[in-house]
Amino acid sequence: MAQRLVLVHAHPDDETLTCGTTIAHHVARGDEVHVVTCTLGEEGEVIPPDLEELEGHPDDLLAAHRRGELAAALDALGATGHLLGHDGLGSRRYRDSGMVGSAAAARPDAFVNADLAEAGAALAALLREVRPDVVITYDPQGGYSHPDHIQAHRLTRAALDQLADTELPTHTYEILTPRTWADEDRAWTRGASPAAYGLVVPGADDPHPPSVVDDERVTHVVEDPATRAAKLAALRAHETQVIVATDDLHALSNRIARRTTDREGFGRVDPRTWEPWPD
């Protein structure tokens, strides 16, 4: 029987970077996948020189461009997109809050300043309409502690809190990476000659982000090499944010090399408490 999934992400490109394999895998199975994006990534750094005028433009020209990138990426993955504050998903639009300490976070329309009861009601309305079997978002630290990722986690919980027990999804997951994978991927990347593409890798002893956890905390894994073409097409769609160096190697504007894999991990949690789901 086909399932329905809703994934909640902070900015365009997050859906592909963290869940591209999962989205494409479920679409290929015949499942219905919805991706909610909370902002248009107005504070993003622009990589291609011919588009650099979009970065920091006072009229937020980057927002419209990234909306187009998101649409192309979702088309490649086969998912249905929803933008918070657009297309009937709530009336209040939220802007990218930037990294920790950014002046963008002080703006009243910054996503970090969203009224979670109001924004949660918009997301809850979508959940009631779609009635997903599965809801996926970040862990409480937002994967790598970006303020908007943390707020997307809070938004998801606020929406779930507004649902009756009979309206809750059957399964709720946070996005996690097993430490074994993270170590393997970092070692692989160091051996993939990233400098040949103008990229660098973190040191072997550099800390992993908070979403990298002990292997036993990862309760579910999606691993599907058949999704590679769709994921790569989606990564390339996000041209302002992602460098696709090879089919196995990509980077963001910081030029830190990342391995492009066909595997993604998740931890099942209680939708009310966000504690790990009992075995």
Side-chain angles (χ1 to χ4, degrees):
M1 179 180 297
Q3 290 188 313
R4 292 184 296 275
L5 293 81
V6 171
L7 298 89
V8 182
H9 286 284
H11 316 104
D13 77 14
D14 292 327
E15 81 295 327
T16 303
L17 292 166
T18 64
C19 295
T21 295
T22 299
I23 295 169
H25 171 79
H26 278 278
V27 168
R29 282 181 36 173
D31 295 333
E32 181 182 325
V33 182
H34 297 258
V35 174
V36 175
T37 308
C38 299
T39 81
L40 286 172
E42 294 86 350
E43 292 294 306
E45 297 177 339
V46 174
I47 296 170
D50 61 332
L51 294 173
E52 62 185 6
E53 73 276 4
L54 298 176
E55 185 175 326
H57 195 282
D59 294 329
D60 275 346
L61 298 182
L62 183 57
H65 192 91
R66 292 193 72 180
R67 185 173 186 176
E69 292 180 346
L70 175 63
L74 292 177
D75 184 62
L77 295 172
T80 299
H82 306 268
L83 288 169
L84 197 60
H86 300 255
D87 306 325
L89 185 53
S91 58
R92 184 72 60 86
R93 299 185 183 185
Y94 303 100
R95 192 178 183 279
D96 185 347
S97 309
M99 301 298 285
V100 173
S102 170
R107 294 176 53 131
D109 57 350
F111 183 47
V112 290
N113 298 320
D115 181 320
L116 288 177
E118 178 183 26
L123 179 55
L126 177 69
L127 297 178
R128 291 191 181 98
E129 176 185 347
V130 173
R131 297 303 298 266
D133 303 285
V134 176
V135 168
I136 298 171
T137 194
Y138 313 107
D139 66 284
Q141 297 185 74
Y144 66 106
S145 301
H146 189 295
D148 282 340
H149 287 231
I150 294 171
Q151 188 74 333
H153 167 87
R154 292 171 176 161
L155 166 70
T156 305
R157 295 190 63 178
L160 293 171
D161 284 346
Q162 294 187 37
L163 299 182
D165 289 347
T166 55
E167 298 173 318
L168 288 171
T170 306
H171 296 82
T172 306
Y173 296 102
E174 58 183 2
I175 303 164
L176 301 174
T177 300
R179 196 173 309 279
T180 296
W181 288 7
D183 290 339
E184 288 175 356
D185 290 346
R186 185 173 286 184
W188 180 93
T189 303
R190 285 199 301 274
S193 302
Y197 307 97
L199 308 180
V200 298
V201 292
D205 297 325
D206 286 359
H208 289 300
S211 58
V212 174
V213 298
D214 293 340
D215 291 16
E216 57 267 23
R217 281 192 56 195
V218 177
T219 61
H220 291 72
V221 167
V222 176
E223 191 164 5
D224 186 356
T227 64
R228 175 60 65 101
K231 186 171 183 176
L232 284 169
L235 286 172
R236 291 189 176 101
H238 290 293
E239 61 175 344
T240 63
Q241 306 300 304
V242 182
I243 301 165
V244 180
T246 73
D247 286 357
D248 301 302
L249 201 63
H250 70 276
L252 305 183
S253 60
N254 58 15
R255 307 195 76 84
I256 296 176
R258 300 183 179 193
R259 185 182 187 184
T260 305
T261 71
D262 308 314
R263 59 187 186 183
E264 292 159 358
F266 306 90
R268 189 180 179 189
V269 295
D270 186 301
R272 295 294 190 207
T273 66
W274 217 262
E275 292 296 319
W277 189 262
D279 293 335

